Amino acid sequence: MARLVPPPPPEHAGARRPNVWGFMAPPPAFERVETGPYLLRPRVFMNALGAICFAFAFLLPFITINAYVISIATSAVIYIMLASGLNIVVGYAGLLDLGYVAFFAVGAYTWGIMSTRLHWGMIESIPVVLAICVVAGIVIGGPTLRLRSDYLAIVTLGFGEIIRITANNIQVTGGPQGIYGIPKFSFLGLDLSVPITIGGIVFQPAVSYYMFCVFCMAVAVLLAARLAKGRMGRAWKAVRDDEDAAEAMGINTYATKLTAYITGAVWGGMAGVLMGSHLGSVAPGSFVFLQSALVLMAVVLGGMGSTPGIVIGALVISLGPELLRGFGNGRYFLFGVLLIVCMLFRPQGVWPSTWRLPFLRSARVERVDILDDSAGNLLDRTDLTPQAGDDTSAEPQGGGR
Amino acid sequence: MTDAPYPTEPAVILQVNDLAVFFGGVRAVDGLTFSVKPREIISVIGPNGAGKTSAFNCITGFYRPSRGTVIFRHENITGMRPSKVARRGMSRTFQNLRLFRDMSVLDNVRTGLHARLAESFIDTALHTPRYRRAERGSIDAARGWLDFVGYASSEEAFVAELPYGEQRRVEIARALAADPTLLLLDEPGAGLNRNEKQGLAELIRGIQNLGIAIVLIEHDMGLVMDISERVVVMNYGKEIADGTPAEVKADPAVIEAYLGTEET
Ligand SMILES: Nc1ncnc2c1ncn2[C@@H]1O[C@H](COP(=O)(O)OP(=O)(O)OP(=O)(O)O)[C@@H](O)[C@H]1O
Ligand SMILES: [Mg+2]
C-alpha cells in the first residue's frame, strides 16, 4: 500500500546547523565581554608598545648620527629580522634548525650577484630572491622535515655548512673573497646610496639605509606575529606541541612544517639582502655555524615563539658584545657567562610566549549569561533551533587548504 | 564541509572488516569487525591491553593495519593519513590527554576548525575581510563548543593550569570543532569522579543529539551499559562479542574473559 504521508525525516536531519558565521557549531551559551581599561587589554597594549618601539628605532638618527652607532644599530635591526624568521621555524613550528644562516647566505649572495654582476635593481631582484629562497626552503626542508626532530637538527646543520662551502668554492660567488661593491637600494627614484635632503634635513646614506632597514624589519616582525595568530600559525603551534593531536585535527603536519620552513627561509633571505647592502660585500666567512648558533640563541634567550622576546634576544645578542667592549678581549667570555646565568635563571627565555605583563593580567574575557537555561541544561542547549538573525545560508567556509 | 547527515548519509557510516595490527609478535588487534550507523553510540570494552586503543589508531590512520579494511562513509580509508581521515569527518580524543600545552584553551579548540577555515597566508598577513570573518567565526564556534561541553574556566587559560575534568572537556570540544560525523572517544571517563561521569554521559547523549555517531572506549560498566546501543568486547586483540548491552552482559565468553578477570 502506498504511503500517503512521506516518512518523517530521521530525528537528526538538520540537527546540526551552521552558526551565524557559517561554521558548524552551536551558538555560544554565554556572551563574552572584555573587561578592564581599553589600553590595558593585552592586544591593544602590545600593539601600542610595538608601535612605540618602532617609532623610537625609526627616529634614532634624530638622537644620534654617530656612524658607529648607526652601523651597529643597522646590524641589530637585521638581526631582529633574522631572529623573527628563525622564530617561525623554531619558536612556532618547533623545528630545531641549526643551519638557518644558509638562507641568510642565499639571500645575500643572490642579491650580491644580481646587483654587481647583472646590474639589476632592487625592484626586479626581490621577487627573484624570494623565489630562490622558497626553492632553497623546499630543497632543504622537503626531504629533511620527514625526519624526527633530532635528525632534523643534524641535517640542517649539514646543509648550512654545504651552502657556505659551496659559496667558498665556486666562481659566481667570488670564492673565498666573496662579492664586493653591493649597492644600497635605490627604488622609485629614491637612491639610498647618496645623501637625501628632505625638508632641509640631510640624510646620509647610512642613516637613510638604517631607516629603511627599520621599516623592513618592522614589516617582517609584524607579518610574522600576524601569521602566528592566524590559521597557519595555530597549525604551526599545534604541530610543535603535539604532532599526533595536530594530525587528528586534520592538520597535515608535514605540509605545515614545510610552510614554516619556507616562510623562515624567506625571512632569512630578506635579512640577507639587507645585510649584503649594509656591509656592501658578502663573503663565506659571514655564514659560519656560529652565526646560526647566535641567531638561535637570540630566539631561545628571548623566548621561543614570543615576538617581544625575540626582539629583546636579538638586541642582546647583537649589541651585547659591543656594549661590553670596555672589557677588551675578555668580553666574549663575559658575554657567554652572562648568557649562561640568564638561561639558568630564566630557562623559558626573557619574555616567554605564555607570559603576560603583570599589569595586563587584570583584563580578561568574562562570560555573561544570555540564555535563562544556562544553569547547565545541556540537552536544551543542544537543540539547535535557528534563532532570529541566524544566517544559515552563510557562505560555506570551504574546506581543503 | 561535512554534508548534512541526511539524506546523503549511508546506512552504515563506519564499517571495520577483519582489522588486525601486529607489533612484532604482539597481535594487538586480530580480526576486529564491527559497523557503526549514523547517530549510534557504540562502546568498545575489554581488559587492559586488549587492543582497544590500537584499534582506534588503525581506524583513524595512526597505525597502518596489518590486515583488514576500514570503510568510512562509502570510502576505503585504510592506511590513509590521519589528517585526511579527520577531514572526512572522523574526529577523536586520546586516552592520555593530548592538548596543545602552550596554546590557550580557545586556540586549542580553534585548531579543530583548521580544515574549515578559508583563510590564506595573504588574508592573515593583510587582515583582509576574509581573515576577519574567519577569525570571528572560528572564535564564535569555539566558544559555542566550549559552552556545549560545559567548560566553565577561562578561555584564555593554558592547559596546564586547568583541573583534569576541564582538560577532558576541552579535548572533546576540540574534537567536536572539527565537525565530525563520527567521534571516537578513548576513555573519556578515565580519572573523572562519579559526578563528572554523570555529566559525561549527558554530554555524550547531547553529542548524539547533534546527529554525531560515537564510538566509546570505556571501563566504567555502568556508564557503558547506560548509554550504548551496542557493545563490542575485545580480549587479547580478538573480538569476543558484539551486541546490545543486555546480550553482552549475558554472554558467557564475556563474563569469562572480561568480568572474570576483573579484580576487586
Ligand atoms: N606502538 C606500539 N608498539 C608496540 N606494541 C604496542 C604498540 N601499541 C600498542 N601495543 C601493544 O598492543 C597491545 C594492546 O594495547 P592497547 O593500548 O591497544 O590496549 P588497550 O585495550 O587500549 O588497553 P588499555 O585499556 O590499557 O588502554 C598491548 O600489549 C601493547 O603493549
Ligand atoms: Mg587504551
Side-chain angles (χ1 to χ4, degrees), chain B residues 3-260:
Chain B
D3 305 319
Y6 179 80
T8 50
E9 203 58 75
V12 170
I13 51 170
L14 180 74
Q15 177 69 53
V16 176
N17 284 319
D18 193 29
L19 191 72
V21 61
F22 309 142
F23 300 105
V26 180
R27 299 179 158 238
V29 180
D30 192 1
L32 179 67
T33 302
F34 71 97
S35 60
V36 183
K37 301 196 191 76
R39 296 191 92 226
E40 221 176 3
I41 298 181
I42 294 205
S43 290
V44 179
I45 61 170
N48 289 108
K52 307 178 294 291
T53 301
S54 303
F56 264 29
N57 284 342
C58 282
I59 295 168
T60 49
F62 284 92
Y63 292 164
R64 186 173 289 274
S66 313
R67 194 180 75 217
T69 52
V70 181
I71 314 286
F72 182 55
R73 302 165 93 201
H74 287 326
E75 191 181 5
N76 187 345
I77 57 161
T78 321
M80 200 181 261
R81 206 190 162 85
S83 52
K84 278 183 129 185
V85 175
R87 282 164 184 240
R88 278 161 174 68
M90 193 193 294
S91 214
R92 71 170 291 180
T93 64
F94 294 86
Q95 181 168 356
N96 309 308
L97 276 169
R98 302 190 64 172
L99 290 166
F100 306 121
R101 311 198 85 256
D102 288 337
M103 295 170 77
S104 70
V105 164
L106 193 68
D107 278 355
N108 261 279
V109 179
R110 286 214 282 163
T111 55
L113 291 147
H114 182 82
R116 318 266 170 232
L117 291 176
E119 175 194 330
S120 72
F121 252 52
I122 306 286
D123 293 321
T124 319
L126 302 181
H127 283 194
T128 60
R130 185 152 43 159
Y131 164 80
R132 286 171 202 280
R133 227 181 306 130
E135 183 81 353
R136 294 172 63 181
S138 61
I139 289 177
D140 211 47
R143 286 173 174 169
W145 285 121
L146 283 171
D147 292 348
F148 178 81
V149 300
Y151 175 81
S153 310
S154 162
E155 64 181 32
E156 297 154 298
F158 292 97
V159 178
E161 309 161 3
L162 296 174
Y164 186 77
E166 290 286 67
Q167 296 191 20
R168 281 273 175 211
R169 285 183 213 276
V170 175
E171 206 189 19
I172 295 176
R174 185 181 69 177
L176 285 170
D179 185 22
T181 335
L182 175 66
L183 179 64
L184 306 177
L185 299 171
D186 195 345
E187 299 198 19
L192 299 187
N193 62 33
R194 185 151 292 283
N195 240 339
E196 289 174 318
K197 279 230 171 106
Q198 196 49 48
L200 177 69
E202 259 171 58
L203 174 60
I204 291 176
R205 287 218 187 80
I207 296 170
Q208 181 187 33
N209 268 2
L210 296 180
I212 299 172
I214 292 161
V215 181
L216 172 76
I217 296 179
E218 186 51 63
H219 281 299
D220 184 325
M221 281 315 208
L223 182 64
V224 166
M225 297 302 163
D226 186 23
I227 62 173
S228 357
E229 267 124 90
R230 275 191 311 120
V231 180
V232 175
V233 190
M234 293 180 73
N235 196 18
Y236 295 112
K238 302 253 192 224
E239 179 181 342
I240 57 170
D242 178 354
T244 64
E247 285 167 10
V248 163
K249 236 193 251 176
D251 193 316
V254 176
I255 297 167
E256 159 91 35
Y258 187 76
L259 302 172

Side-chain angles (χ1 to χ4, degrees), chain A residues 160-221:
Chain A
E161 289 295 282
I162 288 171
I163 298 253
R164 179 177 66 82
I165 293 167
T166 307
N168 202 17
N169 287 300
I170 58 175
Q171 282 274 291
V172 68
T173 56
Q177 276 80 44
I179 298 172
Y180 289 92
I182 302 174
K184 299 235 189 300
F185 291 137
S186 56
F187 58 99
L188 305 176
L190 194 67
D191 188 353
L192 298 188
S193 49
V194 294
I196 302 166
T197 313
I198 298 172
I201 307 171
V202 181
F203 292 87
Q204 291 303 320
V207 170
S208 53
Y209 187 67
Y210 165 77
M211 293 169 91
F212 174 72
C213 286
V214 170
F215 179 74
C216 293
M217 175 275 287
V219 170
V221 170

Side-chain angles (χ1 to χ4, degrees), chain A residues 344-366:
Chain A
L344 278 179
F345 284 100
R346 220 170 154 95
Q348 293 278 306
V350 177
W351 190 314
S353 63
T354 55
W355 189 68
R356 204 170 268 173
L357 286 168
F359 54 88
L360 295 185
R361 285 184 196 145
S362 59
R364 57 189 331 144
V365 178
E366 258 158 36

